[in-house]
Amino acid sequence: MESSPHLFDEIWASIFSLLDLQDQCHLGPLSLVSKQFLCVTNQLCHSLKIFDNVIPDLPALLQRFHHIKNVDLSEYQGNLDKVLFMIASSGLNTQQIDLSDQRKLPTRGLRKLGSIIRSVTVLKCSSLYHLKNNDLIDISTIFPLLEELDISNPCNASGITDKGISFLSSKLPSLCKINLAGNSSLSDKSLFSLSSNCANLREITIHCCGKVTPKGVAFLMHHVPNLHILSLTLRISPSVVMNDCFASGNVLHTLELISMRIPDSCLFSIAMADIRLKSFTLSSCWKFTFLGIAYLLHKHPSLDSLTLEGVDFLTDPLIDLFSRFLTNATSIKLNNCPLFTERTPLTLIENCPLLKNLEMKRTRYWYNHYRQPRWRPHRHSWIFPHLSLNALWKINDEKNISTHPNLQYLNLSYCMNLTQEIMDTLGKCKQIRYLILNGCRDIKDLRETSEFPELKTLQAADSGINDDLLVMFAKRCPELRYLNLEFCKRLTEVGVKEVVQNCRKLKEINLRGCCNLNDDIAAWMMLCQPLLRKVIPPGRPMHLIPRA
């Protein structure tokens, strides 16, 4: 028997790149085929997140995965300088470093890294406890080729001033993206400096920069010809007019206005400006009316993404009117709009044929069932429970959902009554990839015809899911990667073992608070499922068992 022809590594890499390797779950089995495949799969790993327990093996990891481009140190709590020294001596061609949530900037380690590795173009320093002008001087001196910089939300909000931004911009002519959110001492002078020195600037975030005015924003829009994305929060008095801010944004395609006074005249000026918006966000703003929103949507029929949050006057009839301007929209988020009813999601799906992502939180239906929000911490922010779309499924016309081919993300969290009709219709949505059933206590069984061939993430925390339903999901979700079952008190080993044995691509499972399980099942799962990388056992609230 003749041996199979030998293919070059580059050819195999191209073949593997055609697979769904977003979460790299296929790389493990491929690396076991041969030494050549092991070498090729090592080259396809581009990101590394470092935790405290990884340090002893870090030199070996850096030597094995020598194509690492992105290094994430945001959750590392040890000596950052020591880790950066290791990365510098490894010879990696690192392009991105994430130092978010650290106490201070590890200047010594960064200097060592910058003296050896010249390829760093992205630096994330969000939510640092201490961040000052001297840190910006060090950053711009160490990484002169930096293209993206995040210095948002430092704990000492007044540590960075216009002088620091002025020096930074003069040393980083290639800067394309910067996040200035939460630096309260910055003024229009910072925008003047960035506009004058960073001609390639394409994206900027300006939130809670207390001294920035519409004048500075208008100057930025006029003098930065390549600005594509602008996220803005300004504290301005009613006498200040913003109508001319966006007149010069010829290439602007994404605009976010957050927690601002936005009169209709401002929305009219955006609508009439010579820009072609693809994404528009209006979050927690006030003073505008339906007329302003409708006119803007009418003038931008190619809008792909729309986010409206905290708009308390929107009703079902108004949604029916302006949704007719959203025929090209693929993502719509309508959160904290209290007057919506069960008709709203149905109207959007009927009028927006390309819709893929519909997100609604805290509407009238949510308030009727949950007058007190369940706060759930998530790092530095707070997340409300998502609106259930239960009312959508109670209608008799199932055709609008079951024949909607592009629905990929569906959140039914905290729905009081998932009826059999809901579950039957849900099983007809073949393209769903993210299904969230958190807090759904009364979940009905799936029909034999229900299938979820594309489902990759199932979140059913604090829900009424039992062994029988979990077994049904296990047999109908061949692509399942992430499963969250924390505080599901009806589950036993029968259902959990069935899902581990049937879902061969499962990568992470959370069993925290499942009182009918014991921690011994975690070891069994790691032995039974070769691709399983993270298990949160039932009896240890914050304990992770990662695969070595």
Side-chain angles (χ1 to χ4, degrees), residues 136 149-154 157 160-162 164-165 168 175 177-187 190-191 194 201 203-210 212 220 231:
L136 298 188
L149 177 62
D150 186 350
I151 52 173
S152 62
N153 302 313
I160 294 179
T161 66
D162 294 330
I165 298 297
L168 179 83
L175 193 65
K177 177 180 178 180
I178 187 169
N179 190 337
L180 302 174
N183 291 281
S184 59
S185 295
L186 299 185
S187 69
S190 294
L191 302 188
L194 290 169
L201 195 64
E203 179 177 348
I204 185 169
T205 300
I206 311 168
H207 295 171
C208 301
C209 300
V212 173
L220 179 77
S231 184

Side-chain angles (χ1 to χ4, degrees), residues 68 109 196 207 211 234 300 457 462 466 512 542:
I68 294 293
S196 303
H207 295 171
K211 300 177 182 179
L234 296 183
H300 294 277
T457 298
D462 194 26
N466 56 25
R512 180 164 69 107
M542 295 306 295

Side-chain angles (χ1 to χ4, degrees), residues 193-204:
S193 300
L194 290 169
S195 303
S196 303
N197 298 320
C198 304
N200 296 320
L201 195 64
R202 294 196 301 267
E203 179 177 348
I204 185 169

Side-chain angles (χ1 to χ4, degrees), residues 61 72 143 170 201 217 242 253 297-298 339 350 388 407 445 509:
L61 290 173
D72 187 348
F143 303 115
S170 66
L201 195 64
V217 176
M242 289 190 58
H253 61 66
L297 297 179
H298 171 67
L339 299 183
E350 288 176 342
S388 74
L407 191 61
D445 290 340
I509 185 170

Side-chain angles (χ1 to χ4, degrees), residues 247-346:
S248 303
N250 295 331
V251 297
L252 190 72
H253 61 66
T254 299
L255 179 60
E256 299 178 355
L257 303 177
I258 302 172
S259 300
M260 295 174 56
R261 179 183 179 275
I262 303 292
D264 283 344
S265 58
C266 180
L267 297 178
F268 292 157
S269 66
I270 297 173
M272 293 183 290
D274 187 19
I275 56 179
R276 299 185 64 181
L277 284 180
K278 293 294 184 181
S279 177
F280 181 67
T281 296
L282 205 60
S283 176
S284 301
C285 296
W286 64 95
K287 195 61 178 179
F288 60 91
T289 67
F290 172 76
L291 183 61
I293 297 178
Y295 188 70
L296 185 144
L297 297 179
H298 171 67
K299 286 293 186 177
H300 294 277
S302 60
L303 203 66
D304 178 75
S305 175
L306 175 67
T307 299
L308 298 176
E309 297 185 343
V311 185
D312 56 7
F313 60 78
L314 283 180
T315 60
D316 292 344
L318 296 182
I319 286 291
D320 184 50
L321 288 175
F322 83 56
S323 64
R324 302 178 187 277
F325 303 128
L326 297 172
T327 55
N328 292 310
T330 61
S331 176
I332 297 177
K333 298 180 181 180
L334 301 172
N335 300 323
N336 302 338
C337 301
L339 299 183
F340 290 152
T341 69
E342 63 272 14
R343 181 66 191 171
T344 303
L346 178 60

Side-chain angles (χ1 to χ4, degrees), residues 360-373:
M360 300 174 68
K361 303 177 186 178
R362 301 190 74 196
T363 67
R364 173 186 293 177
Y365 186 81
W366 186 92
Y367 277 110
N368 288 340
H369 291 88
Y370 298 95
R371 298 188 183 278
Q372 297 297 326

